[in-house]
Amino acid sequence: MKPRRFRAPGRVNLIGEHTDYNGGFVFPAAIHLATRVTVTARGDGRLRAASNAFPETLDADVTALKPTGNWTDYVAGVAAQLQITEGADLWIETDIPIGGGLSSSAALTVATALALGAGNRPRLEIARLCQRAENEFTGMRCGIMDPFASCLGEAGHALRIDCRDLSYKAIPLPESVRLVIANTMVRHALAGTAYNDRRAACESAAARLGVSFLRDIDYSSLTGAELRCARHVITENQRVLDFEAALLSGDLEAAGEQMYASHESLKTDFEVSCPELDAMVEIARRLPGVYGARLTGGGFGGCTINLVAADAVDDVVSQLRAGYEAAAGMVPHIFVTSPAAGASEIIE
Ligand code: GLA
């Protein structure tokens, strides 16, 4: 049979960080960087996968898939969720930086799900299946935001998602702004375990308050780490709503202020920033044409997202690069993106 190809985009989150697994609001957009999977059916019940981005390969019976601790767990996890019975050869290519906070893992699970035949299912079901695959096969207790954005992204729009009932609105980005993503080129080793630790702290705060999610609650009775986690989540939810209102009314300064406030809360209350991310935000804050900047994704390295006036983009990119190189001694990877469409088959 003729091979088929599928693509799933990475995402950048404009605001609403560490709120998805707390039943809160997020504001991601799919981006132009993507993962592509070429699939060829096999008659022998074996699932094989290889990639241009990693040295390890997968070659296993589809009825006996087990986590191995490398990237192929994302592929095997999806195949296990889909309970596939036919074998397949998968060739995976990506241009999303790995571990950069731009959802390379969700792009991989979503593209794999489409390649393994999930394309006719409702998009939201595919997103949930991909989240479960990652939770169960890699131990990363991530929320729904990344596969949601990769499955349901819309060109020119960010998605304002309510992660409690999974309803969403596609919000157009004004023509006059660009999204500038700045990769600090660092990823601190604790990122995976610290993510699960933060999630556990949120869950224990919710349990102490007798609620399922940190939302619509009074957190003043909490103390210590639980107080700080809850305060971040509750105030971040409000910032997402304020950001949305500012964007819709065309007040880009007000939208940008919410981004700076989000970064500050992630730094001081939720404690998921790092010196490199803080430096990138501080450099951006001084540049004309930057409305707002903040870390994006789980934190502990990876990228910042900058909301930038379209006519200032070239200057902002070169000054951000020079400023970060002087401050951190590393050359950052900086690129301009616009919201892209969600996952699809590539028809050539
Ligand atoms: C990672 C997770 C998401 C979300 C963000 C933080 O990207 O995969 O589910 O929790 O961190 O907002």
Side-chain angles (χ1 to χ4, degrees):
M1 220 199 299
K2 223 173 139 248
R4 294 172 73 183
R5 294 183 80 212
F6 298 84
R7 61 164 270 287
R11 67 95 191 91
V12 67
N13 189 21
L14 276 68
I15 193 162
E17 222 65 84
H18 290 274
T19 44
D20 61 349
Y21 55 81
N22 287 303
F25 299 113
V26 293
F27 210 104
I31 59 175
H32 68 286
L33 301 176
T35 295
R36 291 168 198 80
V37 178
T38 307
V39 57
T40 319
R42 290 177 68 89
D44 62 358
R46 294 202 72 81
L47 179 64
R48 305 201 314 171
S51 169
N52 70 340
F54 304 97
E56 302 89 0
T57 56
L58 174 71
D59 185 351
D61 191 294
V62 290
T63 60
L65 297 166
K66 304 241 164 19
T68 59
N70 67 46
W71 72 276
T72 63
D73 287 348
Y74 294 94
V75 172
V78 170
Q81 289 292 332
L82 288 170
Q83 300 184 330
I84 57 167
T85 50
E86 305 290 314
D89 274 341
L90 304 176
W91 168 244
I92 293 143
E93 295 160 288
T94 191
D95 44 29
I96 308 172
I98 307 299
L102 300 178
S103 242
S104 52
S105 47
L108 175 55
T109 55
V110 171
T112 300
L114 295 189
L116 293 178
N120 293 331
R121 300 187 186 202
R123 287 284 153 143
L124 189 52
E125 186 185 320
I126 302 174
R128 298 178 86 148
L129 181 147
C130 288
Q131 182 194 8
R132 280 199 306 276
E134 183 161 356
N135 291 165
E136 290 173 18
F137 253 64
T138 76
M140 170 80 173
R141 299 187 60 218
C142 57
I144 190 74
M145 170 169 69
D146 304 351
F148 194 116
S150 186
C151 283
L152 288 131
E154 291 183 24
H157 295 70
L159 307 181
R160 206 277 277 141
I161 308 168
D162 180 336
C163 297
R164 185 159 60 186
D165 63 11
L166 298 181
S167 60
Y168 75 101
K169 282 197 252 171
I171 311 283
L173 279 198
E175 292 285 326
S176 61
V177 291
R178 297 287 178 274
L179 302 177
V180 175
I181 296 174
N183 191 343
T184 60
M185 314 307 277
V186 299
R187 174 167 170 80
H188 293 289
L190 70 175
T193 47
Y195 182 92
N196 288 349
D197 291 350
R198 292 301 182 285
R199 182 163 180 166
C202 291
E203 285 168 353
S204 95
R208 199 176 302 286
L209 294 166
V211 293
S212 322
F213 290 126
L214 289 181
R215 186 160 151 174
D216 313 324
I217 50 136
D218 174 5
Y219 52 80
S220 59
S221 63
L222 297 173
T223 55
E226 286 180 358
L227 168 66
R228 290 194 303 276
C229 284
R231 188 166 54 201
H232 166 71
V233 171
I234 304 294
T235 59
E236 184 78 350
N237 281 336
Q238 188 58 46
R239 282 187 286 272
V240 176
L241 300 179
D242 292 347
F243 179 86
E244 177 188 4
L247 211 57
L248 287 172
S249 70
D251 189 345
L252 295 165
E253 269 88 12
E257 280 314 312
Q258 299 301 327
M259 295 174 76
Y260 289 126
S262 166
H263 185 81
E264 189 56 34
S265 177
L266 287 159
K267 175 182 167 186
T268 55
D269 263 352
F270 214 69
E271 298 181 283
V272 293
S273 190
C274 63
E276 295 85 357
L277 286 166
D278 296 343
M280 197 72 96
V281 169
E282 281 315 307
I283 296 159
R285 193 194 284 273
R286 296 194 294 267
L287 300 177
V290 177
Y291 294 111
R294 53 181 291 280
L295 73 83
T296 188
F300 302 104
C303 296
T304 64
I305 169 77
N306 301 264
L307 192 66
V308 178
D311 56 10
V313 155
D314 293 345
D315 286 347
V316 166
V317 169
S318 63
Q319 293 192 49
L320 206 47
R321 183 177 295 123
Y324 185 76
E325 196 175 344
M330 283 173 282
V331 182
H333 182 193
I334 301 179
F335 52 91
V336 184
T337 190
S338 344
S344 59
E345 180 161 9
I346 302 171
I347 309 286
E348 271 137 345

